[in-house]
Amino acid sequence: MTRDELKIVRRAYAKQITAALNVDDERVEKAFAEVPREDFLGPGPWPVFRMRKAYLPTPTADPVYLYTDDIIGIDPIRHINSGQPSIHAFMLSQAAPGDGEHIVHVGAGAGYYSAIMAKLVDVSGNVTAVEFEPDLAARAGANLSSYQNVSVIHGDGSSVDFDAADVIYVNAGATRPADICLDRLKDGGRLILPLTTDLGFTNSDWSNMHRRGAVFLVTRQGSDFHARRISPVAIYPCAGMRDELSERVLAEAFESGDPRKVARLHRGDHTPSEKTWVRGVGWSLAYS
């Protein structure tokens, strides 16, 4: 397939994945149509992730097979994937990055979604792509070398230093928000935060995914953090943003409460228990 033909395929793919979750955002659609997915996934054939932990290879190395709403394995042995495009289109539309803004992408993988973010903030904005795995950070750096508004950092997203951000997009499952993400979120900034239990990915019961993980959109207004659950999720665990205590209380919260009623993220330990969906050490998600 020629590059011109692939451009046509990408435009159709972008329309299909945005329509899949009712994403009505022309900027998101355009970004997905412009970034070649094959540039970030290595040589084909490519392993397509099917539920229940099975990977099936594409029939050939023709890039046309990458333009479906499928998860593609980056490193199947470690269960590291390039996530489902429609989910990312939806979450990016919720974060609503604009021209000139700064996005911090925690868990950049091989860089595909960082490249899409770079399109969304345009050349006047910038993306800081953070990746914990050294081999993936090197790979992302090479893949993103032509994107002048993207910098790649190898490190732990919960502690690596980065400038204040308009959007912080955590692309892995945490059990708690990292202090730096809340500290460095600008007034009016948006944090995409997937919270997952230990059953939230490799051991997931897919029919009960909504009881294993949820993505929250956290919006800062001064010293206040408004929060709402925007989607269930099953996603690779986030190194640095997980611990046993917060995993335990999070699992209990999914079993006993309703994350769809969450309205606020509080810092500190003072939220009344009857108003709290989940309480960790120094933070909570509450109904008011």
Side-chain angles (χ1 to χ4, degrees):
M1 182 168 285
T2 68
R3 293 187 70 85
D4 286 342
E5 288 171 332
L6 275 175
K7 288 180 181 178
I8 296 170
V9 170
R10 275 200 304 275
R11 288 200 296 271
Y13 153 83
K15 287 186 177 297
Q16 290 166 356
I17 63 168
T18 51
L21 292 179
N22 296 315
V23 174
D24 184 15
D25 190 325
E26 291 182 359
R27 297 178 71 255
V28 171
E29 180 184 317
K30 183 173 183 287
F32 274 88
E34 289 180 348
V35 177
R37 201 178 187 190
E38 64 271 18
D39 288 356
F40 297 86
L41 297 177
W46 299 275
V48 181
F49 180 68
R50 304 301 183 190
M51 298 306 180
R52 306 187 190 282
K53 298 183 285 185
Y55 290 86
L56 297 176
T58 57
T60 71
D62 189 334
V64 71
Y65 291 112
L66 296 176
Y67 293 107
T68 59
D69 193 20
D70 285 310
I71 298 167
I72 307 296
I74 296 173
D75 187 333
I77 293 175
R78 291 184 285 176
H79 296 284
I80 299 175
N81 304 308
S82 177
Q84 189 170 10
S86 62
I87 295 293
H88 283 279
F90 172 74
M91 293 195 296
L92 285 167
S93 72
Q94 295 292 300
D99 290 356
E101 291 196 320
H102 176 211
I103 303 178
V104 175
H105 183 194
V106 177
Y112 174 58
Y113 292 107
S114 300
I116 289 171
M117 293 174 195
K119 296 289 186 180
L120 288 169
V121 298
D122 202 21
V123 293
S124 58
N126 63 297
V127 177
T128 301
V130 182
E131 175 52 49
F132 181 79
E133 300 293 342
D135 58 326
L136 287 183
R139 186 169 164 184
N143 290 339
L144 291 162
S145 60
S146 64
Y147 290 78
Q148 299 302 309
N149 61 340
V150 181
S151 58
V152 178
I153 299 175
H154 167 231
D156 181 340
S158 69
S159 59
V160 69
D161 190 34
F162 55 79
D163 292 337
D166 301 283
V167 174
I168 299 175
Y169 191 95
V170 180
N171 198 170
T175 59
R176 54 179 171 77
D179 285 339
I180 193 170
C181 290
L182 302 178
D183 292 340
R184 300 290 173 86
L185 194 64
K186 292 182 181 179
D187 192 10
R190 292 82 67 200
L191 166 65
I192 296 291
L193 179 65
L195 294 178
T196 62
T197 73
D198 284 348
L199 295 177
F201 183 66
T202 55
N203 297 315
S204 183
D205 174 359
W206 298 99
S207 64
N208 286 308
M209 185 173 69
H210 63 286
R211 298 174 64 183
R212 306 289 187 252
V215 181
F216 292 89
L217 172 64
V218 180
T219 304
R220 182 169 192 167
Q221 294 184 348
S223 60
D224 294 331
F225 295 88
H226 298 274
R228 62 183 176 92
R229 179 261 201 194
I230 59 173
S231 174
V233 71
I235 194 169
Y236 190 81
C238 183
M241 294 190 198
R242 301 188 72 85
D243 62 74
E244 290 184 8
L245 174 60
S246 59
E247 195 285 328
R248 185 171 69 250
V249 297
L250 188 62
E252 292 171 355
F254 275 113
E255 291 296 329
S256 61
D258 188 351
R260 294 172 297 182
K261 296 180 180 179
V262 166
R264 296 283 292 274
L265 185 151
H266 293 281
R267 305 185 80 174
D269 300 304
H270 308 299
T271 313
S273 59
E274 67 272 12
K275 295 183 178 181
T276 301
W277 176 64
V278 62
R279 184 193 304 280
V281 176
W283 69 278
S284 64
L285 285 170
Y287 303 127
S288 63

